[in-house]
Amino acid sequence: MKKFLIVGLGNIGDEYAETRHNIGFKVLDKLANKKEFSFETVKLGDVGIYKLKGRSILCLKPSTYMNRSGKAIKYWMDKEKIPLENILVITDDINLPFGTIRVKTKGSDGGHNGLKDTQEYLQTTKYNRFRFGVGSDFGKGRQVEYVLGKWNEEENLIMEERLNKSQELIDSFVLSGISRTMNQFNGS
């Protein structure tokens, strides 16, 4: 059976639950609700598993905090023998307008510490990532405050639609591969 690892980056703890930086956790929570699976707290994170058309998908919300995500990703990748091409890392991106989706197969960390740590543990910049735009509506020196801030009313109004689009993207990645997923979803 083909295995996939879908990783949602975020920070553990109630104080981070509805923050922009935790969009990776939010996407996976929505996925769990839609696919009817639950998360169990295990080594280095919360893990949930579901099946889709003969494929096994392991979803991971690392408990290592955002800036140390790579350790959990590498552990579960090795433990479950999941090849690098079957991994998708979901993260926030301040360089994209709110709700914009960008899927890439490689690239720099773009100043994102979660991606930076992932690259260090995986020893490559060639891994699939799903960047969810959170916008950049903050003043100079206010980036941390912004990404650790809660969604505003306007963002919450369209969040459900964006989360549904994210579920479609994950299904596409698992069933159709990264190239088709990039063609279908980038910029949507």
Side-chain angles (χ1 to χ4, degrees), residues 8-26:
L9 299 188
N11 287 312
I12 57 171
D14 291 339
E15 68 270 29
Y16 299 110
E18 288 299 319
T19 64
R20 292 177 183 89
H21 219 27
N22 268 37
I23 190 62
F25 283 12
K26 193 169 185 76

Side-chain angles (χ1 to χ4, degrees), residues 42-70:
V42 291
K43 186 169 182 174
L44 301 176
D46 290 350
V47 169
I49 299 172
Y50 71 100
K51 307 265 189 274
L52 181 64
K53 296 186 178 180
R55 294 156 177 93
S56 178
I57 300 96
L58 186 143
C59 297
L60 169 66
K61 297 190 297 184
S63 60
T64 51
Y65 288 96
M66 177 70 78
N67 297 350
R68 299 287 176 246
S69 301

Side-chain angles (χ1 to χ4, degrees), residues 139-153:
K140 187 174 176 149
R142 300 258 185 217
Q143 179 178 334
V144 172
E145 185 179 305
Y146 178 76
V147 297
L148 294 179
K150 308 271 187 209
W151 302 103
N152 66 38
E153 193 174 320

Side-chain angles (χ1 to χ4, degrees), residues 72-91:
I73 294 169
K74 180 73 170 136
Y75 173 82
W76 284 98
M77 184 180 146
D78 291 349
K79 182 181 188 315
E80 295 296 321
K81 297 176 178 57
I82 299 171
L84 187 62
E85 64 271 15
N86 288 0
I87 294 173
L88 182 66
V89 178
I90 307 165
T91 186

Side-chain angles (χ1 to χ4, degrees), residues 32-48:
N33 184 272
K34 186 172 184 173
K35 302 292 186 185
E36 300 180 345
F37 69 89
S38 58
F39 284 95
E40 178 184 351
T41 300
V42 291
K43 186 169 182 174
L44 301 176
D46 290 350
V47 169

